[in-house]
Structure formats: C-alpha cells, structure tokens
Amino acid sequence: MENTAKKPRSQLDRDAWVAGAIEVLAEEGIAGLRVEVLAKRLKVTKGSFYWHFTDRRDLLLAVLSHWKDGRIRDIIKQTRAQPGRELEQIYHVIDVYSASRSRRGMLIELAVRDWARRDAEAGAIVAEVDDVRLRCARELFLACGVPMEEASSRCMLLYAYVFGVSLMVYEKFDTDVARLKRDIADLIARSTAIAPSPKAA
C-alpha cells in the first residue's frame, strides 16, 4: 500500500478573505456576498472563515474599513501637489478618476454606494470618504486662487462628472471623445477667478 501524504488544506489569512469579498462585491454586489459562496470561491472550508471572523457582519465591516482606508489613502496621494502645480494636479485628478483604467475601482465604488443606501454604517463610511474627496479637491482649487464658494462648486462638479461618466455609454455621441474629455476638464478646472480680466476704463 502506497504511503501518500495528504495534501494540506489551503489556509487563508483575514486579509485574503477581505480581498476575496471585495472581488465578489464588485461582481455581484452586497447581496452576492455570502460566506458559503465566498468559501467555495476561495477553495477553503467555511470553518476557516470563523477562525478569522465572528460572523458575516464582521466580514462586511472589515470590507468597509479596507475600502475606506484605501480610498482615503489614494485620494490624498492623487490630490497632493507641489506648490505652484495645483492646476496641473486638478487635471491629473480629473484624468485618473475618469479613465477606463479605473473601471474595476468604479465597480467596487458603485457596489459600496448601493450598499450604503440600505445600511447606516456603510452610509457613514461613504459620507466620510466623500467628505475627504471634496475637501482635498477644494484645497487644490483654493491654492489656485479660486474663492471658497466657487472652489466648493468646482470640486462638486469634478466628482459629479467623474461618477456620471462612469455610468454612461458615450462613445457614439461624439466622433472625438478625447477632445470632449479635454474640453470638459477645461470647464471644470479653469476659473476666471484665477486671473480676473482688468475692468475696461
């Protein structure tokens, strides 16, 4: 009789469960995020889950915390500018957050936002992230010399565009989508308040 060693069961740490949960969230939304389904997808037993988490709610809170920390870290990184280069950074923020390369991130974002409509704790996390988003963008506009009220309006417009364009299919609308995006970026970023024209004598 052959002495064959049993293959050891795959072990996952807490972070691996959270990462797997985020992938499911992006693909199926919060309703699809179930412990049994996730364990099967990760090819581990359900018992492995309870080694790291008390229950499904514990996992969901870990997912929210991970999403919040990642979003805030990225927002701060993307809106950080060297003195005198704030306008350039505004264009960068518009470009990076409206680009197709952010598609996966946007799917996760939309899933979290849909979740937040039905869950108070998720709603509070989304509100916190949005507050950081708007405040960081507003600081860029303020650094360009835009007055507070206009800076607030422009940063709201920036994110309204970023989120809106992620939901639209617009490739057939205009023959030159690149030009369209450049024009929109100019409308958001440029302000007459930065360099007011002199009054006529």
Side-chain angles (χ1 to χ4, degrees):
M1 190 168 160
E2 281 187 3
N3 185 17
T4 54
K6 280 190 176 179
K7 208 174 179 181
R9 281 188 182 274
S10 174
Q11 293 296 317
L12 297 177
D13 61 13
R14 186 179 170 93
D15 290 344
W17 279 97
V18 170
I22 288 170
E23 290 302 317
V24 173
L25 181 67
E27 294 169 18
E28 301 180 38
I30 190 65
L33 189 44
R34 299 189 303 277
V35 175
E36 298 84 354
V37 173
L38 186 56
K40 188 174 181 181
R41 181 178 178 133
L42 295 172
K43 298 185 169 111
V44 293
T45 64
K46 193 175 165 183
S48 169
F49 171 83
Y50 291 105
W51 182 260
H52 300 292
F53 300 94
T54 308
D55 51 22
R56 180 176 180 266
R57 187 67 187 171
D58 189 21
L59 171 66
L60 296 183
L61 293 176
V63 167
L64 279 175
S65 178
H66 179 87
W67 178 79
K68 180 186 86 168
D69 293 346
R71 292 308 329 124
I72 290 175
R73 190 166 51 247
D74 188 64
I75 290 160
I76 291 170
K77 174 186 168 187
Q78 298 297 349
T79 55
R80 187 181 292 126
Q82 293 177 7
R85 302 186 70 174
E86 290 85 2
L87 182 60
E88 180 184 330
Q89 200 66 24
I90 291 169
Y91 277 100
H92 169 76
V93 170
I94 296 168
D95 177 58
V96 78
Y97 285 137
S98 62
S100 58
R101 62 180 174 272
S102 315
R103 189 69 188 161
R104 179 185 168 278
M106 191 54 74
L107 286 174
I108 295 168
E109 179 94 29
L110 294 173
V112 171
R113 287 181 177 280
D114 184 55
W115 175 9
R117 289 169 53 228
R118 301 171 181 84
D119 184 283
E121 283 178 284
I125 293 292
V126 168
E128 187 178 344
V129 170
D130 281 348
D131 189 60
V132 172
R133 271 194 175 106
L134 294 169
R135 288 177 185 278
C136 286
R138 185 168 63 188
E139 286 302 314
L140 287 174
F141 285 106
L142 290 172
C144 291
V146 178
M148 174 64 82
E149 287 187 3
E150 185 181 340
S152 296
S153 300
R154 285 181 178 275
C155 68
M156 283 283 287
L157 182 60
L158 188 163
Y159 282 108
Y161 165 63
V162 165
F163 286 115
V165 81
S166 73
L167 299 172
M168 297 175 71
V169 179
Y170 49 83
E171 282 77 10
K172 293 181 181 178
F173 173 68
D174 195 288
T175 55
D176 190 350
V177 171
R179 178 205 51 80
L180 194 67
K181 287 191 169 187
R182 281 196 308 272
D183 288 350
I184 292 169
D186 285 340
L187 289 169
I188 294 169
R190 295 283 177 185
S191 169
T192 54
I194 294 173
S197 55
K199 290 181 180 178

